[in-house]
Amino acid sequence: MELYATGFDAWNQLNFNKTDPRSNDEPSDLRAFTCILRDPVIRNVGAFLTYTSVETSSGNTTAGIVPKEHLLARKLRGIDHRHSSCWAEALNGSFVILNTTDFKLEQYSDSKNLRYMAGTLLNAKDDAKQTFRVGSIGRPVQQLLAYDTGFVALTADGEVYTWGDERYSLCLGRMPTPESPADKPGLVADLVDLPTGRIVKIAANGYLLAALTSGNDLYFWGGHPAQEPLIEEILSGCPHPIALGDHDIVDVGVGESHMIALTAAGQVYVIGVNQNGQLGTDTHHRSKDWVTVDLGLHQSQKIKGVAAGPRTSFIIVEGLRP
Amino acid sequence: MMAQIPLGRCIRAAREIAHECNDVLNPTADPALRPCLAGCGEALIRLLERQALKLENSRNTRPSGADEYASGAFKPAPVNKELLGQRLEDILSMAYSKFYSYPYENLPVCWRQLYTDASILKFYFLLLTGSFVRAVITGGFRLHDKQKLEEEVAAMVKVLDMAIILAGAAGEKRGRKWINEAIDELHTCWTKLCEDENAPVGWESERSRHQRKKTKRTPVWEDALSFSTHEPFTPPVQNPIRRTTRDQMFLEAFQTYMDRPVDPSVGPQPLIITGLISDWPAVTTNPWNKPSYLLSRTFSGMRLVPVEIGRSYVDEGWGQKLIPFRELLSIYIDPPQPAPLSPSTNTTVGYLAQHPLLTQLPSLRADILIPDLCYTSPPGHPTDPSQNQPELDEPKLNAWFGPPVTITPLHTDPYHNLLVQVVGRKYVRLYPPTEGRMRPRGREGGVEMGNTSLWDVGVEEGWDKEDGDEEEEDKERRKKEFNEIPFVDCILEPGDTLYIPIGWWHYVRGLSVSFSVSFWWNGGVDDGEWRDSSLSS
């Protein structure tokens, strides 16, 4: 398999060739999709601001600089194959850890609490801890992600829950009420009973959130009142279906100001800001419309998935270029 | 003598920043001395350090002491200017997204310092990559395009003003002091360039230039144009606030006035003191009512200021943006063709409101004096001690500068306030803290708005158009209720000072072009109430 990437590379987070991320050389950003990894297994691409982690045939590998708190979280929780993420950190420092046995979510207002946790293994200082449960009791949480000021979780039943800072209520995709306040997980009712089936995947970064249905429809919500909307005229507190021509969309990645989507026909589209080359296109600053990306793959190769970090994009390809 | 180019300070700053980054990354450093930047994490510190080293090295001089922090690993490399500029932008945007993600009072200070230090480096970068330095040293405008140079200078001023306004110019070693001095140096260079342009070319000797400087008089502003005093609408004063003079309300008298209120359950009453600022340069030698004077004190209007766009901060469509002071004047406050400013039209109102302008611009701060009356010890909140704030070391100053019909909606503040009217006229209406019908807002969109009232005085009085499609009957009932609430009001004339006691609801409406300064102060609370509560929390 091959992993292609483009975008922000200030810490060699797109370079798996064991380059010293602490060198004084200044890496340039990648401004076009470039093959950065070949391995029989490539899955679970974790794309963070300062590093990338990928599961390969020889285990988990990272590129870039992993923050201390993330190292602790990874050590504490490991990488659970049944879940693409068992913890998430928002930009405002709040940290959520998913207990993969009872699917309780433990939230800390400051990631520094992880240091206590690492010492006493889960007997953290309780004063800053909140415990949540989402969905019906005992049903697994399939995906847990952070956006800049909150979190989003997808249950195995296809229910999407959001919680976070009420000042950015667009990201919640729901109206906070006294019964279901902003800072406690609340069901995004607009993503229930959709015409093309339940939600099977979520993606989030910055102030943007997206969800994909089993019938290949893409829903999008969020936005920051002081930032230009990613898709024209969509600055929305309600999940909004996104049309990409007539294409069915099978995978999606969301960055802080850009988005990448994979169609059922195997085509990749990007939209948004290109400041750090995250679109991998010639456009210099921003693309207001979806643009297709051509990797120039061999006919034996097939695109399996896409992903996005805050300022990076990834394409996972099955098969090797001969 | 050649004007001081702020290049030397930039080199020193880049070196200091690189040192601080190295101290963060070097675990042998005494933890007590760990620089504040440590909170930004290793990745950002390495990124900042690399840019600082690159800038420091771009001068082709290997600075003394370079070895000790580079631990031998650092090799001077040819600088990729485009990448350096982009990486500085990257650091700024990453720090800035932190500002949004935290409620401002919880934002760790390291992010404000990171933004400030990256701004300082970007200022250095602009100085290095532009043609300004060469113009100052060599040809002046004779060899360089004036407009291009002016754009360069404006961009440099903007970078530093953003650090002041957005990040509070945080940082102990450099911070606000560094930025103020850099702007001063830049201003001196720019002024000299502009003077040279007006001097006859070629023949003027150093000596005659020196003499010309010596005989140059400080500008006289008497002949300069003043702001218009036009008032599109003047509300009637219904229950005038008591007026007194500075001579009657000296320090001890004012202390007594506050200590012995007529009705102790309400606390001291609002009061207008006249003549308090008659000796301020702002109303005499350095007239704030002259646009040309204000421009001269704001780097020819290039300094950036925050402006509220829209009638009032509770209105739909209200927003804030940063614009050069010159644009604030030419677009919003003193447009060449006075627009018919009334709330019934769609004219956009721009208001420089509640901004510590005088901290940002020390040269304007020098035009005012802190009134003695702020050195009194006023009582705490009459009804709600939880409102009392820790004692301020010095009064908090804010500037309020806008065109007619700027509105500060009915609200309370947790401090005593002297609202000083320097230029133009303002209408103020006040309701006592004991009034129970003020309809305070609650938490709105995650922001505590309990100090702001739902009443829109302008709408209830029929001065402003109402939006919304309320039933006529409800409207009548509401107006009746509103009209029953007793209040006091006044029109502040230039030179008037209004004392607004803590907890009083106040509605402020600019009538003409208006420039006010507010002084918030408080006293130590004798019963230690706030101390106890702050300790236990």
Side-chain angles (χ1 to χ4, degrees):
Chain A
M1 298 182 80
E2 290 180 336
L3 180 64
Y4 286 76
T6 186
F8 195 31
D9 196 25
W11 298 282
N12 279 308
Q13 62 266 51
L14 302 182
N15 187 339
F16 283 93
N17 292 330
K18 301 288 161 229
T19 311
D20 179 12
R22 289 162 179 84
S23 134
N24 268 323
D25 297 330
E26 189 66 51
S28 302
D29 294 337
L30 299 186
R31 299 204 73 93
F33 278 99
T34 311
C35 180
I36 60 165
L37 191 65
R38 283 159 191 248
D39 197 278
V41 177
I42 291 180
R43 64 180 169 213
N44 282 338
V45 175
F48 298 89
L49 183 66
T50 64
Y51 73 100
T52 309
S53 75
V54 181
E55 210 187 303
T56 66
S57 58
S58 50
N60 206 270
T61 175
T62 62
I65 295 183
V66 186
K68 255 188 216 146
E69 287 75 20
H70 288 207
L71 280 175
L72 282 174
R74 294 165 76 85
K75 207 160 110 189
L76 219 58
R77 273 285 165 247
I79 299 295
D80 190 320
H81 289 207
R82 289 166 301 165
H83 308 279
S84 50
S85 44
C86 330
W87 53 270
E89 185 192 25
L91 198 68
N92 61 17
S94 40
F95 216 103
V96 171
I97 291 199
L98 172 66
N99 186 323
T100 49
T101 349
D102 61 4
F103 298 106
K104 271 187 192 154
L105 296 162
E106 288 167 359
Q107 179 166 337
Y108 301 87
S109 59
D110 189 327
S111 55
K112 298 216 165 36
N113 286 300
L114 286 178
R115 305 215 180 128
Y116 302 112
M117 287 184 65
T120 55
L121 276 176
L122 292 180
N123 292 323
K125 281 178 62 171
D126 276 352
D127 53 346
K129 186 171 101 174
Q130 296 183 73
T131 306
F132 301 127
R133 196 192 281 281
V134 302
S136 27
I137 289 175
R139 294 294 290 152
V141 173
Q142 200 166 300
Q143 238 190 315
L144 166 68
L145 297 172
Y147 60 94
D148 273 5
T149 59
F151 301 92
V152 54
L154 172 66
T155 67
D157 309 309
E159 290 179 333
V160 176
Y161 289 80
T162 55
W163 67 106
D165 190 336
E166 192 184 353
R167 293 177 305 155
Y168 302 102
S169 57
L170 293 177
C171 298
L172 297 173
R174 60 183 173 93
M175 269 298 259
T177 59
E179 298 75 45
S180 178
D183 59 355
K184 305 259 182 323
L187 178 69
V188 181
D190 284 4
L191 291 174
V192 177
D193 289 333
L194 296 170
T196 61
R198 63 181 191 84
I199 300 298
V200 293
K201 180 175 178 165
I202 51 173
N205 248 315
Y207 295 85
L208 309 177
L209 299 95
L212 213 54
T213 67
S214 57
N216 302 336
D217 273 350
L218 175 62
Y219 286 81
F220 175 73
W221 70 102
H224 187 293
Q227 289 165 5
E228 214 175 313
L230 177 68
I231 297 172
E232 222 145 301
E233 282 149 30
I234 299 188
L235 185 70
S236 170
C238 307
H240 199 282
I242 299 294
L244 212 172
D246 299 330
H247 301 291
D248 273 357
I249 300 173
V250 295
D251 202 4
V252 65
V254 172
E256 63 177 28
S257 323
H258 79 290
M259 184 152 49
I260 177 167
L262 174 64
T263 67
Q267 268 190 311
V268 173
Y269 285 84
V270 289
I271 191 169
V273 161
N274 198 24
Q275 207 87 21
N276 292 95
Q278 53 266 62
L279 299 188
T281 60
D282 294 338
T283 12
H284 197 68
H285 278 306
R286 159 186 288 273
S287 181
K288 288 187 174 180
D289 299 301
W290 290 98
V291 188
T292 135
V293 173
D294 183 18
L295 292 186
L297 296 177
H298 187 261
Q299 56 187 20
S300 65
Q301 293 181 288
K302 194 181 168 229
I303 295 177
K304 291 293 285 180
V306 292
R311 300 175 182 203
T312 48
S313 298
F314 298 85
I315 301 175
I316 301 163
V317 172
E318 197 171 59
L320 293 176
R321 196 185 299 267
Chain B
M1 221 195 81
M2 205 170 69
Q4 173 83 40
I5 302 169
L7 211 47
R9 68 168 50 252
C10 285
I11 300 167
R12 287 192 298 277
R15 194 175 306 164
E16 272 176 24
I17 291 169
H19 269 285
E20 270 175 54
C21 289
N22 188 62
D23 286 348
V24 171
L25 298 168
N26 180 358
T28 60
D30 179 355
L33 295 173
R34 277 197 108 194
C36 153
L37 281 175
C40 299
E42 183 194 349
L44 273 160
I45 295 309
R46 287 200 185 275
L47 185 60
L48 182 70
E49 182 190 38
R50 291 201 304 259
Q51 316 315 313
L53 288 173
K54 240 163 233 131
L55 277 164
E56 193 198 335
N57 241 40
S58 62
R59 296 275 297 160
N60 294 330
T61 51
R62 202 179 163 81
S64 59
D67 296 330
E68 59 192 65
Y69 60 83
S71 56
F74 177 64
K75 298 185 289 291
V79 173
N80 177 342
K81 275 184 193 167
E82 203 188 326
L83 185 57
L84 177 55
Q86 196 208 312
R87 286 292 178 249
L88 291 172
E89 278 305 315
D90 289 338
I91 298 172
L92 288 172
S93 64
M94 286 185 277
Y96 193 55
S97 54
K98 285 280 183 182
F99 295 6
Y100 276 131
S101 70
Y102 284 88
Y104 199 74
E105 64 274 15
N106 297 347
L107 175 68
V109 68
C110 61
W111 298 106
R112 297 199 287 117
Q113 188 182 335
L114 178 70
Y115 190 95
T116 306
D117 280 341
S119 300
I120 288 173
L121 294 181
K122 191 179 168 194
F123 175 78
Y124 184 14
F125 173 77
L126 292 176
L127 208 54
L128 275 180
T129 51
S131 45
F132 178 77
V133 174
R134 240 175 312 135
V136 174
I137 296 173
T138 62
F141 295 140
R142 291 192 286 279
L143 294 175
H144 299 273
D145 179 356
K146 180 175 180 184
Q147 199 189 332
K148 193 171 162 279
L149 282 178
E150 193 170 326
E151 279 165 18
E152 259 184 39
V153 170
M156 287 190 274
V157 171
K158 182 177 174 183
V159 167
L160 297 184
D161 268 334
M162 301 259 282
I164 296 178
I165 297 168
L166 301 177
E172 278 178 23
K173 277 209 183 122
R174 292 162 299 278
R176 188 176 293 275
K177 182 169 179 291
W178 192 98
I179 289 180
N180 283 345
E181 289 167 358
I183 294 179
D184 278 349
E185 288 175 6
L186 191 69
H187 193 201
T188 312
C189 291
W190 179 247
T191 311
K192 183 176 170 296
L193 270 177
C194 295
E195 274 173 11
D196 287 354
E197 186 198 25
N198 299 326
V201 179
W203 60 271
E204 194 184 33
S205 68
E206 271 301 316
R207 189 189 149 96
S208 65
R209 183 179 299 191
H210 182 66
Q211 274 179 345
R212 184 167 57 87
K213 258 229 164 92
K214 252 176 107 176
T215 54
K216 202 178 84 182
R217 283 174 303 150
T218 44
V220 179
W221 303 102
E222 273 164 36
D223 300 335
L225 281 175
S226 302
F227 287 115
S228 155
T229 54
H230 172 68
E231 286 182 17
F233 172 72
T234 308
V237 173
Q238 298 171 51
N239 306 296
I241 293 170
R242 189 186 140 196
R243 297 178 87 92
T244 184
T245 63
R246 174 191 195 162
D247 302 334
Q248 285 172 325
M249 204 41 78
F250 49 93
L251 190 75
E252 291 79 3
F254 188 52
Q255 183 68 55
T256 311
Y257 177 81
M258 292 188 296
D259 286 344
R260 299 193 193 137
V262 182
D263 181 350
S265 68
V266 183
Q269 298 281 320
L271 180 72
I272 294 171
I273 305 150
T274 59
L276 196 67
I277 64 162
S278 54
D279 50 354
W280 280 17
V283 296
T284 55
T285 52
N286 299 351
W288 284 14
N289 64 343
K290 314 272 185 185
S292 51
Y293 174 73
L294 294 176
L295 286 171
S296 78
R297 287 296 187 268
T298 52
F299 206 134
S300 317
M302 282 192 248
R303 297 300 300 269
L304 228 55
V305 288
V307 178
E308 295 180 355
I309 311 291
R311 194 186 61 122
S312 146
Y313 70 74
V314 290
D315 278 4
E316 196 72 31
W318 178 89
Q320 236 180 341
K321 61 178 183 177
L322 299 177
I323 60 172
F325 191 83
R326 185 161 43 189
E327 280 177 29
L328 172 68
L329 289 190
S330 66
I331 298 175
Y332 297 106
I333 291 186
D334 198 24
Q337 284 175 321
L341 284 161
S342 91
S344 55
T345 67
N346 285 326
T347 319
T348 320
V349 178
Y351 192 14
L352 186 158
Q354 198 171 358
H355 171 55
L357 181 76
L358 306 176
T359 315
Q360 186 196 351
L361 303 174
S363 61
L364 279 183
R365 169 68 182 78
D367 292 343
I368 66 157
L369 303 161
I370 291 183
D372 283 354
L373 304 186
C374 292
Y375 296 104
T376 48
S377 182
H381 194 284
T383 59
D384 181 5
S386 73
Q387 296 268 319
N388 293 329
Q389 303 294 311
E391 189 172 354
L392 293 174
D393 292 335
E394 50 185 42
K396 265 192 198 181
L397 274 64
N398 276 302
W400 309 77
F401 181 35
V405 206
T406 52
I407 289 163
T408 308
L410 201 52
H411 71 286
T412 65
D413 293 317
Y415 295 97
H416 293 264
N417 184 356
L418 286 179
L419 179 63
V420 176
Q421 190 62 18
V422 187
V423 177
R425 306 206 313 157
K426 272 195 168 111
Y427 173 85
V428 189
R429 177 183 287 199
L430 298 108
Y431 296 86
T434 44
E435 178 53 62
R437 292 164 281 184
M438 297 316 291
R439 298 168 68 211
R441 289 165 187 260
R443 241 179 120 71
E444 291 180 4
V447 182
E448 185 48 55
M449 295 285 279
N451 76 332
T452 303
S453 166
L454 282 164
W455 291 116
D456 186 329
V457 175
V459 166
E460 300 303 336
E461 289 290 352
W463 307 336
D464 297 336
K465 212 180 70 182
E466 186 164 10
D467 34 58
D469 40 7
E470 210 180 344
E471 294 288 325
E472 207 54 41
E473 206 176 302
D474 294 340
K475 223 182 275 181
E476 286 309 312
R477 195 177 329 117
R478 209 189 54 207
K479 278 202 164 75
K480 187 165 171 289
E481 191 195 337
F482 178 78
N483 288 333
E484 281 167 0
I485 314 174
F487 63 87
V488 291
D489 60 353
C490 66
I491 288 177
L492 292 177
E493 305 285 340
D496 284 353
T497 299
L498 173 63
Y499 164 54
I500 304 175
I502 187 170
W504 281 66
W505 295 87
H506 48 292
Y507 166 87
V508 187
R509 183 182 179 101
L511 302 182
S512 60
V513 169
S514 160
F515 200 148
S516 330
V517 178
S518 64
F519 297 84
W520 279 356
W521 89 108
N522 60 6
V525 179
D526 293 337
D527 55 20
E529 200 131 7
W530 72 262
R531 278 174 229 278
D532 291 345
S533 62
S534 70
L535 277 178
S536 62
S537 68

